[in-house]
Amino acid sequence: MILYEYPFNERIRTYLRLEHLFLRLRELVSRESALDHHFALSTLFEIMDVGARADLKSDVLKDLDKQKHTLDAYRGNPAIAEDVLNEIVAKLENSFQAMNSLPGKCGQSLNDNDWLMSIRSRVGIPGGTCEFDLPAYYAWQHKTGGQRQQDLARWIATLTPLADSIQLLLKLLRDSGTPQKVITNGGQFQQSLPQGRTFQLLRLALDPTLGLIPEISGNRLMVSIRLMRQGDDDRLHASSEDATFELALCSS
């Protein structure tokens, strides 16, 4: 199954983008070629761009604290495993403390690294990181893979609290949704959302053998999904066939 996710607000959209970037960064750093490490640095700079949002750190701290208070309310409930609850609450507390101890905005300390910033200023220019523009960077690319990995790990460590917090918050959010099988009518599906609940994330699982691609739109009142098929002209065309998929609405 291919899993598609659709955020209902800007905060969750930012979390999903950061998760995507951190997963890419982890994969690239695990490799040893200089080219992979070049794109690892490029990804690191993308994370710094997202992390520069003034409200990101406060949003993450608020969500961690909110989740902790929500879970604390389940203490003493016989249907809840106390040891599992304690483990999750401890992770939330540790993430909160780690995030709260970060100075300034996320990734702020990397902005003081002149060598990194010289690369960052040119990485968006086509061919801007050639050896004649950045000889020191060119020399770094000729270090061993292990040496470059050590440097990357040192720089990434300043962003680890953010990565861990995002991963934990999204896991709790995703676990709140219960998948249900639904069927489209002529390639389209609409569902009104219940009043009194604020959903933050839609998850849609679709069988890849169907060759269909969902176009999702939604707000606090309604969700609309239209199934598309990519034609030989590389364009998306609306599908008129009925199809079954799994849908989960998540709120925290």
Side-chain angles (χ1 to χ4, degrees):
M1 303 289 275
I2 299 179
L3 181 62
Y4 297 87
E5 293 186 321
Y6 182 85
F8 286 115
N9 57 61
E10 188 61 30
R11 190 177 80 263
I12 301 302
R13 184 175 289 109
T14 299
Y15 289 178
L16 291 173
R17 284 175 175 156
L18 283 168
E19 180 189 51
H20 170 77
L21 290 169
F22 278 119
L23 287 172
R24 186 209 297 170
L25 181 60
R26 191 177 303 122
E27 173 65 26
L28 290 169
V29 172
S30 69
R31 304 174 187 176
E32 293 197 355
S33 78
L35 184 60
D36 285 321
H37 290 169
H38 167 78
F39 287 108
L41 273 180
S42 179
T43 302
L44 179 65
F45 298 145
E46 288 186 61
I47 293 172
M48 291 174 63
D49 288 340
V50 179
R53 275 186 41 186
D55 56 347
L56 174 62
K57 182 178 176 181
S58 62
D59 280 347
V60 173
L61 287 171
K62 287 177 185 176
D63 282 345
L64 290 170
D65 192 52
K66 177 185 174 184
Q67 287 288 356
K68 178 182 177 299
H69 285 297
T70 300
L71 293 176
D72 277 337
Y74 287 104
R75 294 194 184 280
N77 189 324
I80 302 298
E82 200 75 18
D83 54 340
V84 176
L85 179 63
N86 290 334
E87 181 182 352
I88 298 174
V89 170
K91 287 181 179 179
L92 288 166
E93 290 175 342
N94 291 337
S95 292
F96 184 93
Q97 292 173 5
M99 280 292 298
N100 202 34
S101 64
L102 290 176
K105 299 176 183 177
C106 299
Q108 181 67 40
S109 59
L110 295 178
N111 287 320
D112 299 328
N113 188 318
D114 292 339
W115 186 81
L116 280 178
M117 292 306 98
S118 68
I119 302 168
R120 184 184 184 184
S121 66
R122 299 199 59 83
V123 77
I125 301 172
T129 55
C130 286
E131 65 271 19
F132 52 83
D133 286 314
L134 296 171
Y137 180 49
Y138 187 63
W140 181 80
Q141 290 176 306
H142 281 76
K143 289 184 176 182
T144 65
Q147 289 174 315
R148 290 193 306 272
Q149 285 174 327
Q150 288 180 359
D151 288 337
L152 287 165
R154 176 163 50 87
W155 299 324
I156 293 168
T158 63
L159 294 165
T160 299
L162 177 62
D164 293 343
S165 298
I166 295 295
Q167 182 182 29
L168 180 57
L169 289 172
L170 286 178
K171 182 183 186 308
L172 292 172
L173 177 59
R174 287 165 175 145
D175 288 347
S176 70
T178 302
Q180 296 181 335
K181 284 193 174 182
V182 298
I183 187 168
T184 61
N185 181 13
Q188 297 193 37
F189 172 83
Q190 283 190 340
Q191 178 177 322
S192 297
L193 300 181
Q195 298 293 321
R197 287 192 68 183
T198 302
F199 293 100
Q200 301 192 65
L201 182 69
L202 177 150
R203 309 186 82 204
L204 187 157
L206 189 62
D207 187 345
T209 61
L210 297 175
L212 297 170
I213 302 165
E215 283 193 349
I216 306 169
S217 60
N219 52 46
R220 61 185 181 86
L221 299 175
M222 178 174 289
V223 168
S224 178
I225 299 167
R226 182 172 62 166
L227 296 181
M228 312 292 288
R229 188 181 298 278
Q230 188 164 355
D232 294 335
D233 57 357
D234 293 329
R235 294 182 180 180
L236 291 179
H237 303 274
S239 170
S240 59
E241 59 191 271
D242 295 344
T244 303
F245 57 85
E246 287 187 352
L247 181 70
L249 294 169
C250 308
S251 62
S252 59

PDB file of all heavy atoms in Angstrom, residues 183-189 225-227 238-243:
ATOM      1  N   ILE A 183     -15.074   3.558  -0.189  1.00  0.00           N
ATOM      2  CA  ILE A 183     -15.097   3.340  -1.632  1.00  0.00           C
ATOM      3  C   ILE A 183     -15.504   4.640  -2.331  1.00  0.00           C
ATOM      4  O   ILE A 183     -16.367   5.377  -1.836  1.00  0.00           O
ATOM      5  CB  ILE A 183     -16.060   2.190  -2.014  1.00  0.00           C
ATOM      6  CG1 ILE A 183     -15.947   1.854  -3.495  1.00  0.00           C
ATOM      7  CG2 ILE A 183     -17.481   2.504  -1.608  1.00  0.00           C
ATOM      8  CD1 ILE A 183     -16.639   0.560  -3.879  1.00  0.00           C
ATOM      9  N   THR A 184     -14.855   4.925  -3.439  1.00  0.00           N
ATOM     10  CA  THR A 184     -15.186   6.134  -4.185  1.00  0.00           C
ATOM     11  C   THR A 184     -16.418   5.890  -5.051  1.00  0.00           C
ATOM     12  O   THR A 184     -16.734   4.757  -5.415  1.00  0.00           O
ATOM     13  CB  THR A 184     -14.021   6.559  -5.093  1.00  0.00           C
ATOM     14  OG1 THR A 184     -13.752   5.498  -6.044  1.00  0.00           O
ATOM     15  CG2 THR A 184     -12.772   6.837  -4.287  1.00  0.00           C
ATOM     16  N   ASN A 185     -17.080   6.965  -5.395  1.00  0.00           N
ATOM     17  CA  ASN A 185     -18.218   6.908  -6.308  1.00  0.00           C
ATOM     18  C   ASN A 185     -17.818   7.637  -7.583  1.00  0.00           C
ATOM     19  O   ASN A 185     -17.737   8.865  -7.604  1.00  0.00           O
ATOM     20  CB  ASN A 185     -19.449   7.557  -5.657  1.00  0.00           C
ATOM     21  CG  ASN A 185     -20.670   7.489  -6.557  1.00  0.00           C
ATOM     22  OD1 ASN A 185     -20.690   6.760  -7.555  1.00  0.00           O
ATOM     23  ND2 ASN A 185     -21.693   8.258  -6.213  1.00  0.00           N
ATOM     24  N   GLY A 186     -17.531   6.868  -8.628  1.00  0.00           N
ATOM     25  CA  GLY A 186     -17.082   7.477  -9.876  1.00  0.00           C
ATOM     26  C   GLY A 186     -15.747   8.178  -9.733  1.00  0.00           C
ATOM     27  O   GLY A 186     -15.506   9.198 -10.379  1.00  0.00           O
ATOM     28  N   GLY A 187     -14.892   7.633  -8.876  1.00  0.00           N
ATOM     29  CA  GLY A 187     -13.560   8.205  -8.697  1.00  0.00           C
ATOM     30  C   GLY A 187     -13.498   9.358  -7.719  1.00  0.00           C
ATOM     31  O   GLY A 187     -12.428   9.962  -7.552  1.00  0.00           O
ATOM     32  N   GLN A 188     -14.616   9.668  -7.042  1.00  0.00           N
ATOM     33  CA  GLN A 188     -14.624  10.773  -6.088  1.00  0.00           C
ATOM     34  C   GLN A 188     -15.187  10.328  -4.748  1.00  0.00           C
ATOM     35  O   GLN A 188     -16.025   9.428  -4.676  1.00  0.00           O
ATOM     36  CB  GLN A 188     -15.439  11.948  -6.632  1.00  0.00           C
ATOM     37  CG  GLN A 188     -14.860  12.554  -7.902  1.00  0.00           C
ATOM     38  CD  GLN A 188     -15.485  13.893  -8.238  1.00  0.00           C
ATOM     39  OE1 GLN A 188     -15.778  14.684  -7.353  1.00  0.00           O
ATOM     40  NE2 GLN A 188     -15.700  14.141  -9.517  1.00  0.00           N
ATOM     41  N   PHE A 189     -14.678  10.988  -3.694  1.00  0.00           N
ATOM     42  CA  PHE A 189     -15.134  10.668  -2.333  1.00  0.00           C
ATOM     43  C   PHE A 189     -15.212  11.962  -1.533  1.00  0.00           C
ATOM     44  O   PHE A 189     -14.294  12.786  -1.577  1.00  0.00           O
ATOM     45  CB  PHE A 189     -14.168   9.695  -1.652  1.00  0.00           C
ATOM     46  CG  PHE A 189     -14.464   9.457  -0.199  1.00  0.00           C
ATOM     47  CD1 PHE A 189     -15.425   8.537   0.186  1.00  0.00           C
ATOM     48  CD2 PHE A 189     -13.785  10.172   0.791  1.00  0.00           C
ATOM     49  CE1 PHE A 189     -15.706   8.321   1.534  1.00  0.00           C
ATOM     50  CE2 PHE A 189     -14.060   9.962   2.126  1.00  0.00           C
ATOM     51  CZ  PHE A 189     -15.018   9.028   2.505  1.00  0.00           C
ATOM     52  N   ILE A 225     -11.760  13.879  -1.904  1.00  0.00           N
ATOM     53  CA  ILE A 225     -10.686  13.118  -2.546  1.00  0.00           C
ATOM     54  C   ILE A 225     -11.110  12.779  -3.969  1.00  0.00           C
ATOM     55  O   ILE A 225     -12.216  12.257  -4.196  1.00  0.00           O
ATOM     56  CB  ILE A 225     -10.381  11.820  -1.770  1.00  0.00           C
ATOM     57  CG1 ILE A 225      -9.908  12.155  -0.344  1.00  0.00           C
ATOM     58  CG2 ILE A 225      -9.325  10.983  -2.494  1.00  0.00           C
ATOM     59  CD1 ILE A 225      -9.891  10.979   0.589  1.00  0.00           C
ATOM     60  N   ARG A 226     -10.255  13.073  -4.915  1.00  0.00           N
ATOM     61  CA  ARG A 226     -10.494  12.734  -6.310  1.00  0.00           C
ATOM     62  C   ARG A 226      -9.351  11.856  -6.790  1.00  0.00           C
ATOM     63  O   ARG A 226      -8.184  12.208  -6.623  1.00  0.00           O
ATOM     64  CB  ARG A 226     -10.594  14.001  -7.167  1.00  0.00           C
ATOM     65  CG  ARG A 226     -10.903  13.716  -8.638  1.00  0.00           C
ATOM     66  CD  ARG A 226     -11.179  14.987  -9.411  1.00  0.00           C
ATOM     67  NE  ARG A 226     -10.017  15.876  -9.427  1.00  0.00           N
ATOM     68  CZ  ARG A 226      -9.904  16.917 -10.242  1.00  0.00           C
ATOM     69  NH1 ARG A 226     -10.875  17.212 -11.087  1.00  0.00           N
ATOM     70  NH2 ARG A 226      -8.835  17.676 -10.209  1.00  0.00           N
ATOM     71  N   LEU A 227      -9.681  10.718  -7.368  1.00  0.00           N
ATOM     72  CA  LEU A 227      -8.661   9.792  -7.843  1.00  0.00           C
ATOM     73  C   LEU A 227      -8.294  10.112  -9.285  1.00  0.00           C
ATOM     74  O   LEU A 227      -9.163  10.322 -10.133  1.00  0.00           O
ATOM     75  CB  LEU A 227      -9.152   8.348  -7.723  1.00  0.00           C
ATOM     76  CG  LEU A 227      -9.412   7.865  -6.286  1.00  0.00           C
ATOM     77  CD1 LEU A 227      -9.869   6.407  -6.295  1.00  0.00           C
ATOM     78  CD2 LEU A 227      -8.173   8.027  -5.414  1.00  0.00           C
ATOM     79  N   ALA A 238      -8.633  12.608 -14.576  1.00  0.00           N
ATOM     80  CA  ALA A 238      -9.587  12.137 -13.579  1.00  0.00           C
ATOM     81  C   ALA A 238     -10.050  10.718 -13.909  1.00  0.00           C
ATOM     82  O   ALA A 238     -10.335  10.397 -15.061  1.00  0.00           O
ATOM     83  CB  ALA A 238     -10.771  13.087 -13.504  1.00  0.00           C
ATOM     84  N   SER A 239     -10.120   9.885 -12.871  1.00  0.00           N
ATOM     85  CA  SER A 239     -10.611   8.521 -13.031  1.00  0.00           C
ATOM     86  C   SER A 239     -12.098   8.485 -12.695  1.00  0.00           C
ATOM     87  O   SER A 239     -12.553   9.160 -11.771  1.00  0.00           O
ATOM     88  CB  SER A 239      -9.842   7.568 -12.104  1.00  0.00           C
ATOM     89  OG  SER A 239     -10.452   6.303 -12.077  1.00  0.00           O
ATOM     90  N   SER A 240     -12.842   7.690 -13.455  1.00  0.00           N
ATOM     91  CA  SER A 240     -14.282   7.588 -13.204  1.00  0.00           C
ATOM     92  C   SER A 240     -14.656   6.236 -12.610  1.00  0.00           C
ATOM     93  O   SER A 240     -15.837   5.930 -12.448  1.00  0.00           O
ATOM     94  CB  SER A 240     -15.054   7.798 -14.514  1.00  0.00           C
ATOM     95  OG  SER A 240     -14.662   6.825 -15.478  1.00  0.00           O
ATOM     96  N   GLU A 241     -13.671   5.439 -12.273  1.00  0.00           N
ATOM     97  CA  GLU A 241     -13.950   4.097 -11.752  1.00  0.00           C
ATOM     98  C   GLU A 241     -14.058   4.107 -10.228  1.00  0.00           C
ATOM     99  O   GLU A 241     -13.453   4.940  -9.547  1.00  0.00           O
ATOM    100  CB  GLU A 241     -12.850   3.119 -12.188  1.00  0.00           C
ATOM    101  CG  GLU A 241     -11.454   3.518 -11.726  1.00  0.00           C
ATOM    102  CD  GLU A 241     -10.366   2.692 -12.382  1.00  0.00           C
ATOM    103  OE1 GLU A 241     -10.029   1.638 -11.818  1.00  0.00           O
ATOM    104  OE2 GLU A 241      -9.867   3.111 -13.441  1.00  0.00           O
ATOM    105  N   ASP A 242     -14.816   3.178  -9.690  1.00  0.00           N
ATOM    106  CA  ASP A 242     -14.908   3.011  -8.248  1.00  0.00           C
ATOM    107  C   ASP A 242     -13.640   2.318  -7.752  1.00  0.00           C
ATOM    108  O   ASP A 242     -13.086   1.450  -8.426  1.00  0.00           O
ATOM    109  CB  ASP A 242     -16.132   2.176  -7.873  1.00  0.00           C
ATOM    110  CG  ASP A 242     -17.439   2.879  -8.240  1.00  0.00           C
ATOM    111  OD1 ASP A 242     -17.394   4.094  -8.492  1.00  0.00           O
ATOM    112  OD2 ASP A 242     -18.478   2.198  -8.268  1.00  0.00           O
ATOM    113  N   ALA A 243     -13.187   2.701  -6.583  1.00  0.00           N
ATOM    114  CA  ALA A 243     -11.984   2.101  -6.012  1.00  0.00           C
ATOM    115  C   ALA A 243     -12.085   2.140  -4.492  1.00  0.00           C
ATOM    116  O   ALA A 243     -12.716   3.029  -3.906  1.00  0.00           O
ATOM    117  CB  ALA A 243     -10.730   2.835  -6.483  1.00  0.00           C
TER     118      ALA A 243
END
